[in-house]
Amino acid sequence: MKRRVLVTGASRGIGLATALRLAADGFDVAVNYKSSQAAANEALARILAGGGSGSLLPFDVCDRPGTRRALAEDIQRRGVFWGVVCNAGAIADAPFPALTGEQWDIVLRTNLDGFFNVLSPLAMEMVRAKQGGRIVAMSSLSGIAGNRGQVNYSAAKAGIIGAAKALSRELGKRQITVNCVAPGLIETEMIDGLPLDSIVKAIPLHRVGQPEEVAAAVAFLFSQGAAYITGQCISVNGGML
């Protein structure tokens, strides 16, 4: 039987690339999305067309009771998850003096609260299954180095690293690893409109990354070869830091 894994925010960008890669590696992938029904349907169709298996699992990671309910119902129908990729995220950039409370809240609720909202219902299910497991949380270069105009985003992504390191110590004896992946500039809609011609000059590899390159790091952490790696943060940033 294939091991089940959940990828949040899997309808596009890094989440989509990760879902496709894990499906190609033989996992049964639950494709989470909030509202992009058409994109999620296409993601699942691509998984199935590639010979993989998966299902759709809609919920909003900001909605704590809704997330808990959706996960409980899915586990009852399809079984416990062996792995989780906390990828769903949001940005609302502004210089700090102009940053509104709403911009702070939506970014922290999606990125950092989402970590708790998803993993709180799942961690004990994974422990009770006694099969080990993998958890990967998506951080960011902004969470390591900070970034102008992203105090909210940097705070959330730095918090994810700390949370993952602490959780790795709690779940280690259960053979459940917990790690982070921290992308730099990746070719997704999040960098639309940026002056890339000038930005790439500051990247040692002189290019932006591809979602598939981030997915490859996640896939490694889900592999048997990474069974002794936990509490770490792997940067995928072209050498920017």
Side-chain angles (χ1 to χ4, degrees):
M1 181 179 294
K2 289 185 176 182
R3 286 170 164 170
R4 298 194 70 219
V5 301
L6 167 66
V7 181
T8 65
S11 64
R12 60 182 185 269
I14 291 171
L16 171 60
T18 299
L20 294 173
R21 175 59 189 268
L22 292 178
D25 287 351
F27 293 101
D28 181 47
V29 180
V31 175
N32 163 255
Y33 64 99
K34 176 183 175 181
S35 57
S36 303
Q37 178 76 56
N41 287 338
E42 183 178 350
L44 181 58
R46 290 179 63 181
I47 287 173
L48 300 178
S53 61
S55 58
L56 297 180
L57 182 48
F59 61 83
D60 180 358
V61 300
C62 296
D63 178 358
R64 186 168 297 160
T67 295
R68 183 175 292 273
R69 182 170 56 252
L71 291 172
E73 291 173 356
D74 186 78
I75 289 173
Q76 187 174 24
R77 288 197 306 269
R78 297 187 173 94
V80 70
F81 291 104
W82 181 82
V84 184
V85 182
C86 292
N87 167 79
I91 58 171
D93 296 349
F96 188 71
L99 192 69
T100 67
E102 290 76 13
Q103 288 173 311
W104 177 270
D105 289 343
I106 189 59
V107 170
L108 269 291
R109 286 172 182 167
T110 305
N111 294 285
L112 189 53
D113 288 0
F115 177 95
F116 175 83
N117 295 345
V118 171
L119 293 179
S120 176
L122 296 184
M124 278 309 300
E125 294 288 349
M126 295 172 72
V127 167
R128 293 190 189 101
K130 297 181 179 180
Q131 298 175 356
R134 302 284 191 271
I135 295 171
V136 173
M138 204 62 66
S139 183
S140 169
L141 177 63
S142 290
I144 299 172
N147 194 30
R148 293 180 63 179
Q150 290 192 322
V151 173
N152 51 356
Y153 189 70
S154 295
K157 292 300 190 178
I160 286 172
I161 294 173
K165 285 180 176 290
L167 186 58
S168 74
R169 292 182 174 270
E170 294 189 16
L171 297 181
K173 64 183 178 181
R174 307 295 185 174
Q175 303 305 306
I176 300 170
T177 67
V178 187
N179 294 287
C180 289
V181 171
L185 283 172
I186 307 298
E187 192 172 328
T188 68
E189 62 187 38
M190 290 183 70
I191 66 170
D192 288 348
L194 293 180
L196 295 180
D197 288 344
S198 59
I199 290 175
V200 296
K201 294 177 182 178
I203 303 174
L205 289 185
H206 283 212
R207 66 176 179 85
V208 298
Q210 297 300 310
E212 292 76 15
E213 293 173 310
V214 181
V218 177
F220 167 67
L221 291 171
F222 268 62
S223 72
Q224 182 58 38
Y228 200 55
I229 298 174
T230 195
Q232 305 304 306
C233 183
I234 298 179
S235 293
V236 184
N237 61 36
M240 292 183 72
L241 183 69

